[in-house]
Amino acid sequence: MIVKAETAPYVEAFAQRDGTDEPHWLAARRAAALANFGDKGFPTRRQEAWRFTDLRPLQRAAFPPVSGDGSAPFALDAYRCPGATHRLVLVDGKVAPALSDLGALPEGAFLASTAETLAEAPDLVAAALEESDAQGNQPFASLNAAFFTDGFVLALEPETVLERPIEILHLTSAGAPRSHHVRNLVRLGTGSRAVLLETYAGAGAHWTNSVTALHLREGAALHHARLQDESAEALHFAVNRAHVGRQARYRSFVLTLGGRLSRQDMLVRLDGEGAELALDGAYLLRGEQEATNATFVDHAAPGCTTRELFKGVVADRAHGVFLGSISVRPEAQKTDAHQLNKNLLLSRRATVDTKPELEILADDVKCSHGATVGDLDEAALFYLRTRGIAEGEARRMLIEAFAADALERVEPAALRAYLAHHLQAWLGRGEEGGR
Amino acid sequence: MSSPATVKNAETLREVAGEGYKYGFVTDIESESAPPGLNEDIIAFISAKKHEPAWLLDWRISAFKHWQRMEEPHWAKLRVAPIDYQAATYYSAPKRQNAPKSLDEVDPELLRTYEKLGIPLNERAALAGVAVDAVFDSVSVATTFKAKLGELGIIFCSFGEAVREHGELVRRYLGSVVPQGDNFFAALNSAVFSDGSFVYVPPGVRCPMELSTYFRINAAKTGQFERTLIIADKGSYVSYLEGCTAPQRDENQLHAAVVELVALEGAEIKYSTVQNWYPGDAEGRGGIYNFVTKRGACRGAHSKISWTQVETGSAITWKYPSCILEGDNSVGEFYSVAITNNLQQADTGTKMIHLGRNTRSTIVSKGISAGRGQNTYRGLVRIQPKAENARNYTQCDSLLIGHKCGAHTVPYIEVRNPSARVEHEATTSKISEDQMFYCQQRGLSQEDALSLIVNGFCKEVLKELPMEFAVEAQKLLAVSLEGSVG
Amino acid sequence: MLEIRNLHARIADGREILNGVELVVGAGEVHAIMGPNGSGKSTLAGVLSGRPGYEVTEGSVLYQGQDLLALSPDARARAGVFLAFQYPVEIPGVNNMYFLRAALNSLRRARGANELDAGQFLKAVRAKLKLLEIGDDLLQRAVNAGFSGGEKKRNEIFQMAMLEPKLAILDETDSGLDIDALKLVAGGINKLRAPDRAMVLITHYQRLLDYVVPDRVHVLSGGRIVKSGDKTLAAELERHGYAAYEAA
């Protein structure tokens, strides 16, 4: 096996890990995924999908895969979703039963930690691993497949409807640099419905490396919101792969506020006729932060709809990247897809790279995309100031209005309010960077 | 039983029938060619043939060394059959190359060829007031209106002549916009370029006529390596037209031209292209590989470079006419229509590099895919840190005709200055059945309806073309889409 | 002029919309076809003009003695069939005058008449504008692009005047018009009535018929003509509504 130098600490850690009590099939998959990671190494800027990403923060140190025991105490209050939920809390990549409160789940609903599911319903987890971890071009997803120890699994039987949101908190405690590899699975049976809120937050210079597989069967509906509010030293990589079936609806929103270096890869395949996708997000960056939102939407069936809106606010020396690809296969006639990325650059040293991309191989389609980069509207700023609002306040108002616009499609209202609250907290945390 | 009329109407929109290349014919002029292959001896042969000074031979050799270390680019969305660079011939010239003093001296066969193309040199030059520097297989054979231009101090001549007569100007600007090692094909061109056009417009002079060059590819297996250099000195203006059409061929022919534009303070260059080289037959056999590097530098403040292109020909088009906006308040424009039909492929677009303050760029791209054609817009807008108040507006629209073609839009936007305002919009849709039906209900045939709608779709670009070119371009759009509806 | 016999037609999803339409229109006559929403009025206009998306499953349409359904849409237009669209189509970038001249010359070629050059065409345009008492403000714009609803309908009538059809089908030409625009459009239609020209007015409301008095009025319901009468039928419909015919 050829091993790229930067992968050595991880390959060594894999050799030393204790996996004796795991079933053979899982051990084999882990080994294959690790081999793929060792072979591919870290991505480089020569790869088109990574050309704007600066991986140096990841290369400066090794982040040994260590998971906690889920017992660290934690104040949840800042990140609790108001109202009744089914709550699962992970601390340092391991489910913390003491902090969790699953509540009463209706019949047909399954919510558990990945580790637990491996013991009770291994087939479910195996399904989540039926991805391209062993060959694919997502080396960090492969690394995750090699090391994951926990995560969450949500599975709904056909026609099951969850009234309360599922609330997953991924928390980290401060400490030496280390990596947490969480593997999550969401499976919605025919006609089932759920609301899922995930929050990633905590302290320390750790590396969160998560992979989530989502399968929505015919007519299923999922509202999926994610808040990434990790520490300003943290690294955060997330790969989300979604398959959306016939007439199913998937609405995803990701709000990026934290992390020194973060990247969200969202790969959505619209598999069944009439599937609907809303793929939205916002990123607010300051200091030295760099965040990438990379979306790949694959229209593989006719009559599907995509609405995509990502908004970026980039201050100080931060760097925002949006890579948006929509492809329409020859058989995906009557596709209706629209993608928009809008950015506010707030400082002289802030930078934005955006690459909205359309690849269309069917003819009866309506597809469009747009991208803008600019500063705050001077006329609006002036207008507010003539009404007696101080400049700083006026700027905050306009920035908030700009970013909050992206939240409009988030449902239900409780999720929207939760995200809006954290967005305002970010704005309140300090003046955006000087010009 | 269904109504034949209504069903036919729907189906024929998808039918693809063959239509021969209208301008497919070969002129028989004996060539004096270099042996196939590429090495330093061949380059020395080309240079000697053209009586070039030592500095230019050195420059070519140095480019060749760059090229040897480079690899063919494969990032474009193109399927390219392997090219054997050692099998191509890098120099050929018409045998009778004594410069004709008047049209009477021009090879009558050549004149007949131009007539078949609808470009009667004598009439066109006289009627349209166009000076034609006709590049026929690498060497200039006719130049008109030279005296008139000379009075204004405008230099418009073949590249070879420029090297001999205006060596210092050429030496100063050659490679200053597209360096030798810029990319694989530019390096190849720099090593072996045959001839091309040179224009210099002195300070404050407004060139009173459109300068025009027609390119043809003629001798078999001869790559065409044109080199064009246009310099607009302070406060000057020039509009340059380039039109291409080629005889039918079975094998792929490589064309790797380089065009460099330099606009000094307050100068404006308008560069228009109608490209209609042999696209290959309906099965994708033959056709030109058009791998072109075109770039303009707005060196001075308040300078402007505007590219307009109508790309209907070639089997493969790979070109990104670009603007480097160095001067404060300089302006770059790119207006493009690209049509791919049958098995044609195009990967084309532009780069707008904003370096100076208050620089502005506009990109309007109209892509039309029919048959099994693949059409990609690829563009870069980069705002560098010092480009205060830079502005870009980009509009890319794609039209799909038939269900076997593809349209792709790949814009890169890189912004390093907060005062910039960059807007990109793109749409893709199929040709509207409602529009087709409306036109047909008013009595237009399907072909006429399609041509009308496509011309409307392209109007923002076509209106940028000089008048005499616009008419030709409209005809070309119709010809290029023939057979794409039943 | 026009003879429709037992016409059945369905749309792409297989639904039968026309269900045995019988209609005979003679030269110089103006017929109004009225009916509730979904009765098949627009489908009838679509089938007669050859719009894609309809399939004729039974019946025949004879126009001046020839099989109209066998002709392509443009051949029908060249044979003198004109459809004033309910929703005139916008064609960005194509000049209205250019479009009309291309259409007119295509028709003239088919009739064996000489094509009009720019000067002759302009003269013809001026004459028709004068006849219809409308301004020339729409001529230099792109076809219907950015036109108001009233402007689009006015443009349709103007095109009809220029193309001088033998059979004009006006599909809901009155819809979306205020009273002034309605009068203008109706005035135009009246001026274009001629002994050798038949017109079929398709409308939901009676109000157009206050200004354009039809020779015959037909009620279309459930894809068939369920009642025919003279102009008084329209007034009756206005008073009692279509309810009486819905079940038919």
Side-chain angles (χ1 to χ4, degrees):
Chain A
M1 187 169 89
I2 304 157
V3 173
K4 296 250 161 65
E6 70 272 19
T7 68
Y10 304 93
V11 173
E12 276 166 34
F14 188 77
Q16 282 160 22
R17 74 184 272 287
D18 172 28
T20 47
D21 54 348
E22 280 189 348
H24 177 71
W25 65 267
L26 182 57
R29 283 191 170 162
R30 288 191 191 278
L34 187 85
N36 189 47
F37 172 70
D39 180 43
K40 299 271 169 13
F42 288 179
T44 72
R45 287 182 169 229
R46 279 192 300 278
Q47 285 162 258
E48 184 61 30
W50 292 82
R51 61 180 277 157
F52 298 115
T53 304
D54 182 356
L55 281 178
R56 278 177 299 182
L58 183 65
Q59 288 156 335
R60 274 187 211 117
F63 294 81
V66 179
S67 74
D69 56 9
S71 66
F74 227 99
L76 298 184
D77 293 353
Y79 291 103
R80 276 294 323 271
C81 180
T85 64
H86 307 286
R87 185 174 74 241
L88 191 70
V89 180
L90 291 93
V91 174
D92 297 336
K94 181 83 186 152
V95 164
L99 299 174
S100 302
D101 178 9
L102 296 188
L105 286 159
E107 199 173 327
F110 176 91
L111 175 64
S113 78
T114 304
E116 208 180 320
T117 312
L118 260 175
E120 287 174 16
D123 289 355
L124 265 180
V125 181
L129 293 173
E130 271 172 358
E131 302 281 358
S132 52
D133 298 326
Q135 314 97 35
N137 221 359
Q138 289 280 0
F140 297 133
S142 297
L143 187 66
N144 172 292
F147 284 108
F148 80 89
T149 46
D150 213 346
F152 71 92
V153 175
L154 168 66
L156 299 185
E157 297 287 325
E159 309 303 333
T160 308
V161 176
L162 280 180
E163 301 292 345
R164 298 189 209 159
I166 304 274
E167 182 188 14
I168 312 286
L169 290 162
H170 303 265
L171 304 172
T172 43
S173 56
R178 58 194 170 177
S179 53
H180 307 298
H181 305 270
V182 287
R183 177 68 63 147
N184 311 312
L185 172 63
V186 177
R187 257 182 130 68
L188 265 57
T190 307
S192 64
R193 292 211 306 267
V195 173
L196 172 62
L197 170 65
E198 288 186 79
T199 297
Y200 292 83
H206 60 276
W207 172 21
T208 298
N209 182 32
S210 90
V211 176
T212 305
L214 302 112
H215 293 265
L216 277 66
R217 290 294 175 81
E218 182 171 347
L222 178 66
H223 291 277
H224 185 194
R226 282 178 292 151
L227 168 65
Q228 189 273 90
D229 196 17
E230 308 233 43
S231 80
E233 298 83 46
L235 280 59
H236 183 100
F237 290 94
V239 173
N240 278 258
R241 298 189 182 104
H243 292 258
V244 187
R246 196 181 152 83
Q247 305 286 344
R249 281 177 299 140
Y250 179 47
R251 287 178 168 237
S252 162
F253 188 96
V254 57
L255 178 61
T256 298
L257 301 175
R260 164 71 182 81
L261 169 66
S262 71
R263 180 172 170 117
Q264 300 279 349
D265 278 284
M266 289 158 269
L267 303 90
V268 184
R269 195 162 87 197
L270 301 172
D271 277 330
E273 194 164 348
E276 282 179 35
L277 170 67
L279 190 58
D280 299 334
Y283 41 97
L284 290 86
L285 310 171
R286 57 160 69 96
E288 304 277 347
Q289 284 182 287
E290 176 180 295
T292 297
N293 280 279
T295 69
F296 306 87
V297 180
D298 178 2
H299 278 260
C304 299
T305 306
T306 293
R307 289 289 175 273
E308 184 173 350
L309 171 63
F310 275 80
K311 293 194 117 176
V313 175
V314 186
D316 300 340
R317 290 167 306 285
H319 181 201
V321 179
F322 175 76
L323 304 172
S325 160
I326 293 178
S327 66
V328 179
R329 299 196 197 189
E331 58 272 28
Q333 296 292 0
K334 305 272 180 207
T335 289
D336 180 353
H338 181 70
Q339 177 193 68
L340 183 60
N341 172 232
K342 298 181 96 165
N343 296 280
L344 269 185
L345 266 185
L346 295 177
S347 120
R348 297 206 57 88
R349 295 177 65 191
T351 57
V352 162
D353 293 300
T354 172
K355 187 189 169 204
E357 189 176 345
L358 293 174
E359 181 178 0
I360 293 161
L361 293 167
D363 72 321
D364 190 2
V365 299
K366 269 198 299 191
C367 294
S368 61
H369 69 204
T372 65
V373 183
D375 198 354
L376 285 174
D377 180 354
E378 288 297 332
L381 201 56
F382 177 70
Y383 181 81
L384 290 178
R385 293 181 68 190
T386 62
R387 296 297 177 266
I389 299 164
E391 185 179 359
E393 178 60 17
R395 289 177 71 84
R396 248 196 312 280
M397 283 171 71
L398 290 175
I399 295 164
E400 187 183 342
F402 174 85
D405 173 54
L407 288 170
E408 259 182 25
R409 280 202 291 251
V410 176
E411 282 177 49
L415 255 61
R416 188 164 59 240
Y418 176 85
L419 295 171
H421 168 78
H422 287 280
L423 195 150
Q424 282 155 2
W426 185 91
L427 287 168
R429 250 177 254 163
E431 284 293 309
E432 38 55 43
R435 290 171 54 101
Chain B
M1 187 202 82
S2 65
S3 153
T6 54
V7 171
K8 181 173 182 289
N9 206 357
E11 279 176 3
T12 45
L13 259 178
R14 299 181 167 255
E15 256 170 45
V16 179
E19 171 74 19
Y21 179 67
K22 287 228 160 151
Y23 300 151
F25 38 78
V26 174
T27 311
D28 182 23
I29 293 181
E30 285 178 70
S31 296
E32 183 191 346
S33 303
L38 184 53
N39 52 49
E40 293 191 13
D41 288 345
I42 295 283
I43 292 166
F45 169 83
I46 295 169
S47 191
K49 258 321 211 188
K50 303 174 71 63
H51 310 287
E52 287 177 355
W55 70 262
L56 190 49
L57 176 59
D58 292 345
W59 196 81
R60 286 176 182 272
I61 296 288
S62 135
F64 177 65
K65 286 179 174 157
H66 272 291
W67 180 75
Q68 283 180 306
R69 290 193 298 271
M70 298 172 90
E71 285 178 16
E72 269 182 332
H74 291 291
W75 41 260
K77 204 180 271 299
L78 298 172
R79 291 183 314 277
V80 184
I83 301 167
D84 184 349
Y85 293 94
Q86 293 303 338
T89 304
Y90 290 89
Y91 181 81
S92 80
K95 210 168 183 183
R96 291 201 277 151
Q97 55 175 306
N98 298 330
K101 295 185 177 54
S102 72
L103 288 172
D104 299 341
E105 293 180 25
V106 174
D107 189 326
E109 194 160 354
L110 175 59
L111 291 180
R112 274 197 297 279
T113 306
Y114 279 127
E115 273 178 43
K116 277 191 263 180
L117 285 166
I119 322 160
L121 194 56
N122 43 0
E123 279 178 32
R124 195 178 179 98
L127 289 174
V130 173
V132 177
D133 175 10
V135 173
F136 184 81
D137 244 55
S138 317
V139 169
S140 304
V141 288
T143 303
T144 53
F145 285 106
K146 227 171 159 173
K148 191 171 176 190
L149 295 173
E151 283 168 24
L152 293 164
I154 296 170
I155 304 167
F156 176 37
C157 61
S158 75
F159 203 90
E161 187 182 332
V163 169
R164 290 190 298 275
E165 310 282 327
H166 312 282
E168 275 316 299
L169 269 177
V170 175
R171 196 171 181 176
R172 186 159 153 205
Y173 289 105
L174 180 66
S176 75
V177 186
V178 180
Q180 289 169 327
D182 186 79
N183 67 72
F184 183 83
F185 297 109
L188 179 62
N189 174 288
S190 299
V192 302
F193 70 85
S194 38
D195 209 333
S197 299
F198 177 84
V199 177
Y200 171 78
V201 188
V205 171
R206 192 178 169 85
C207 185
M209 61 188 78
E210 316 276 357
L211 301 180
S212 168
T213 305
Y214 290 93
F215 294 96
R216 308 251 299 136
I217 295 182
N218 198 268
K221 286 186 188 168
T222 304
Q224 184 93 355
F225 300 98
E226 302 293 341
R227 188 94 199 181
T228 302
L229 176 57
I230 299 176
I231 300 142
D233 213 323
K234 287 180 182 174
S236 68
Y237 168 85
V238 62
S239 169
Y240 188 90
L241 317 184
E242 171 205 345
C244 318
T245 155
Q248 191 147 359
R249 286 287 165 200
D250 280 332
E251 41 200 305
N252 296 316
Q253 286 187 302
L254 173 64
H255 182 98
V258 172
V259 176
E260 295 180 277
L261 312 181
V262 179
L264 301 181
E265 187 180 333
E268 179 177 348
I269 302 175
K270 189 171 170 60
Y271 193 104
S272 311
T273 305
V274 171
Q275 187 267 109
N276 183 30
W277 289 350
Y278 181 52
D281 65 17
E283 298 308 310
R285 284 186 297 260
I288 303 299
Y289 283 13
N290 188 22
F291 299 154
V292 182
T293 304
K294 290 183 169 178
R295 194 176 301 154
C298 284
R299 291 265 155 86
H302 298 280
S303 57
K304 177 177 175 182
I305 289 178
S306 180
W307 298 100
T308 305
Q309 62 174 26
V310 175
E311 303 282 324
T312 62
S314 296
I316 301 179
T317 298
W318 179 97
K319 64 182 283 200
Y320 313 92
S322 303
C323 297
I324 300 169
L325 304 170
E326 300 172 37
D328 290 348
N329 302 295
S330 60
V331 175
E333 294 175 343
F334 175 74
Y335 298 95
S336 172
V337 169
I339 293 187
T340 53
N341 197 356
N342 294 320
L343 281 165
Q344 281 179 277
Q345 306 174 65
D347 194 302
T348 185
T350 185
K351 294 183 199 174
M352 293 290 173
I353 312 293
H354 291 252
L355 300 169
R357 302 163 66 88
N358 303 316
T359 46
R360 257 147 244 276
S361 62
T362 302
I363 299 170
V364 178
S365 165
K366 305 282 179 177
I368 297 143
S369 306
R372 283 175 283 167
Q374 295 292 328
N375 208 324
T376 301
Y377 167 82
R378 187 183 301 278
L380 168 67
V381 174
R382 178 181 287 153
I383 313 289
Q384 295 290 47
K386 288 180 181 159
E388 207 64 32
N389 291 313
R391 295 284 179 272
N392 164 266
Y393 175 72
T394 302
Q395 174 75 44
C396 296
D397 297 311
S398 300
L399 192 63
L400 295 152
I401 302 169
H403 61 293
K404 287 180 180 155
C405 51
H408 317 292
T409 315
V410 190
Y412 292 76
I413 301 163
E414 303 174 7
V415 183
R416 308 271 174 273
N417 185 302
S419 62
R421 198 142 288 180
V422 177
E423 284 178 63
H424 171 98
E425 285 179 63
T427 65
T428 303
S429 56
K430 75 165 185 171
I431 185 119
S432 156
E433 278 181 20
D434 283 347
Q435 289 179 357
M436 287 291 288
F437 176 65
Y438 191 75
C439 292
Q440 285 181 269
Q441 210 300 309
R442 296 299 182 254
L444 299 177
S445 69
Q446 276 203 338
E447 297 249 306
D448 288 349
L450 180 69
S451 164
L452 190 88
I453 293 165
V454 167
N455 270 295
F457 175 75
C458 299
K459 188 168 186 197
E460 287 163 274
V461 174
L462 297 178
K463 74 179 170 52
E464 296 296 323
L465 287 172
M467 186 60 86
E468 59 266 42
F469 243 29
V471 176
E472 192 177 328
Q474 283 187 17
K475 283 187 197 149
L476 260 179
L477 295 191
V479 170
S480 305
L481 289 169
E482 273 176 21
S484 63
V485 294
Chain C
M1 174 75 66
L2 180 71
E3 197 178 321
I4 303 174
R5 295 293 174 205
N6 190 31
L7 186 64
H8 290 252
R10 61 185 181 204
I11 54 175
D13 65 11
R15 270 189 300 143
E16 191 103 335
I17 305 294
L18 296 184
N19 201 3
V21 174
E22 298 272 344
L23 181 66
V24 177
V25 181
E29 295 177 0
V30 174
H31 288 230
I33 295 181
M34 304 182 68
N37 291 330
S39 61
K41 299 194 299 291
S42 285
T43 299
L44 181 61
V47 168
L48 292 179
S49 57
R51 183 169 211 138
Y54 301 109
E55 190 187 352
V56 174
T57 52
E58 215 182 321
S60 65
V61 179
L62 284 182
Y63 165 71
Q64 292 186 323
Q66 61 177 327
D67 178 6
L68 186 66
L69 301 179
L71 301 177
S72 67
D74 44 317
R76 295 181 202 199
R78 290 192 291 269
V81 177
F82 180 90
L83 172 66
F85 284 58
Q86 182 181 1
Y87 303 108
V89 178
E90 301 193 1
I91 311 179
V94 176
N95 178 278
N96 211 7
M97 288 276 272
Y98 180 84
F99 171 74
L100 194 51
R101 194 174 148 209
L104 181 59
N105 279 335
S106 167
L107 265 53
R108 289 181 67 92
R109 275 198 304 277
R111 291 172 193 160
N114 64 315
E115 295 188 22
L116 297 186
D117 65 26
Q120 293 165 324
F121 175 69
L122 200 63
K123 223 166 136 183
V125 165
R126 297 258 171 262
K128 297 296 183 189
L129 288 175
K130 199 168 166 206
L131 172 74
L132 300 177
E133 294 170 17
I134 55 178
D136 59 0
D137 50 320
L138 302 178
L139 298 178
Q140 291 309 329
R141 289 158 66 180
V143 181
N144 294 324
F147 285 23
S148 71
E151 286 173 335
K152 283 181 180 171
K153 297 296 171 79
R154 187 147 57 93
N155 197 31
E156 294 290 286
I157 300 303
F158 172 60
Q159 289 184 17
M160 178 165 85
M162 288 298 296
L163 300 178
E164 300 181 327
K166 292 277 173 276
L167 171 65
I169 303 156
L170 288 82
D171 187 6
E172 307 258 359
T173 295
D174 53 334
S175 69
L177 296 183
D178 63 31
I179 189 68
D180 291 335
L182 181 71
K183 279 184 186 167
L184 195 77
V185 165
I189 296 171
N190 282 329
K191 285 182 184 129
L192 297 171
R193 288 176 84 147
D196 61 345
R197 178 174 297 144
M199 289 192 187
V200 176
L201 309 179
I202 291 173
T203 181
H204 185 90
Y205 300 106
Q206 190 245 347
R207 60 176 198 158
L208 176 66
L209 306 182
D210 290 343
Y211 302 95
V212 181
V213 179
D215 300 307
R216 299 285 291 163
V217 175
H218 311 274
V219 180
L220 189 69
S221 181
R224 303 154 68 157
I225 296 207
V226 294
K227 182 159 182 156
S228 299
D230 61 13
K231 61 182 180 186
T232 57
L233 178 57
E236 189 187 314
L237 283 170
E238 186 74 3
R239 279 196 303 278
H240 302 298
Y242 291 109
Y245 304 100
E246 295 278 11

